[in-house]
Amino acid sequence: MKTLKRFVLVGAPASGKGTQAHFLAEKFGLETLSTGALLRHEIETDSELGKQAASYMGKAMLVPDEIVNGIVRNWMATHTEKGWLLDGYPRTLAQAEALEADLAALGMPLDVVVWLDVTHELIEARMLRRRECSSCGYITRDGENTCPSCGGIMKTRGDDNPEAFARRRKDYERLTEPVARYFLDKGQAVHISVTEEGEPEDVFLRMKHALEDFAKNN
Ligand code: ADP
């Protein structure tokens, strides 16, 4: 029975990856590194790194591998004891190779890659129903026009910027899915396929069972 301590979570934009990352962190007692959140924080604080990342993120482009690899390498070097989860990294095969080299140098194995594979149709349907309050940021999933929290006006995420979303989706299919397949082929990943809308808790339950099986068989 393998003890799962170091996780990578792969999933498309709007796949519900953030929610599942939260559940996984709770269940397995992990610290999470979200490269997207970290980069946004760097931009907000106007750091040198933030300045470099901003021009790419502003265009919904991936930040260059060297920059992101460096961030994750530094973070891992200070997180060698506790279990962790990487959310949003690796996103390219070059990043996956860098991660494997860095882990080998630190003498730490990667225990499992979780691939949250949500169909494109489902993600599109979600985007159409998803609303975000223009006043307080509250998010709903059922197409409300008025914010249940503050009464503000709800707007769709998709309408905000369909081009940016389409670009992120394309990058995911072209660059990130091969990462998931790479680890799957090596027997290092669990594949959670989501084809119908349901509760995030139910997706997590399936994920938990798949991880228990994976731990037993490895
Ligand atoms: P999403 O999953 O909706 O794309 P994220 O918060 O994961 O949102 O990422 C936001 C942005 O941060 C990405 O569009 C990209 O510009 C940048 N980013 C995050 N992680 C990486 C990564 N591993 N490699 C390159 N760019 C990244």
Side-chain angles (χ1 to χ4, degrees):
M1 177 102 173
K2 182 169 177 158
T3 306
L4 303 178
K5 195 175 163 194
R6 299 190 184 90
F7 292 65
V8 158
L9 179 59
V10 176
S15 61
K17 186 161 59 74
T19 308
Q20 298 301 326
H22 180 76
F23 289 151
L24 282 169
E26 287 249 297
K27 161 81 185 143
F28 293 91
L30 311 170
E31 248 183 84
T32 303
L33 172 64
S34 159
T35 45
L38 191 142
L39 289 167
R40 278 190 292 277
H41 174 77
E42 295 295 325
I43 290 176
E44 273 161 30
T45 53
D46 205 24
S47 69
E48 212 32 63
L49 181 62
K51 286 191 187 104
Q52 289 175 33
S55 59
Y56 300 96
M57 288 175 74
K59 291 182 225 139
M61 282 165 66
L62 290 182
V63 174
D65 290 335
E66 309 79 63
I67 297 180
V68 186
N69 289 340
I71 296 174
V72 178
R73 188 179 305 125
N74 289 341
W75 188 87
M76 288 193 309
T78 57
H79 292 76
T80 51
E81 300 302 322
K82 242 192 117 192
W84 48 241
L85 171 83
L86 304 181
D87 168 5
Y89 181 92
R91 245 178 167 93
T92 64
L93 280 173
Q95 291 180 13
E97 280 162 19
L99 172 64
E100 288 186 317
D102 293 339
L103 284 171
L106 289 164
M108 308 194 297
L110 175 64
D111 296 316
V112 65
V113 173
V114 180
W115 180 14
L116 179 62
D117 187 13
V118 181
T119 61
H120 191 32
E121 291 71 26
L122 202 54
I123 286 183
E124 282 200 313
R126 278 183 190 174
M127 297 292 291
L128 290 173
R129 284 201 319 276
R130 191 187 139 109
R131 298 286 185 278
E132 184 172 346
C133 178
S134 48
S135 308
C136 74
Y138 190 87
I139 290 168
T140 65
R141 295 199 291 161
D142 290 312
E144 290 86 341
N145 294 318
T146 309
C147 176
S149 176
C150 78
I153 298 164
M154 304 298 279
K155 57 181 191 191
T156 67
R157 176 168 164 182
D159 288 355
D160 285 346
N161 197 340
E163 294 82 18
F165 187 78
R167 175 194 276 269
R168 295 217 304 270
R169 173 76 204 183
K170 231 163 110 197
D171 280 344
Y172 168 75
E173 282 169 6
R174 197 167 56 91
L175 302 169
T176 311
E177 267 190 7
V179 171
R181 293 191 192 284
Y182 167 74
F183 286 112
L184 205 59
D185 288 347
K186 293 208 299 173
Q188 280 186 281
V190 296
H191 180 203
I192 310 297
S193 170
V194 182
T195 57
E196 279 171 41
E197 200 51 89
E199 294 304 317
E201 286 80 2
D202 293 333
V203 173
F204 183 65
L205 209 60
R206 280 206 280 135
M207 199 176 270
K208 201 175 78 133
H209 289 147
L211 285 166
E212 280 160 6
D213 284 346
F214 179 87
K216 253 184 237 148
N217 299 326
N218 278 276

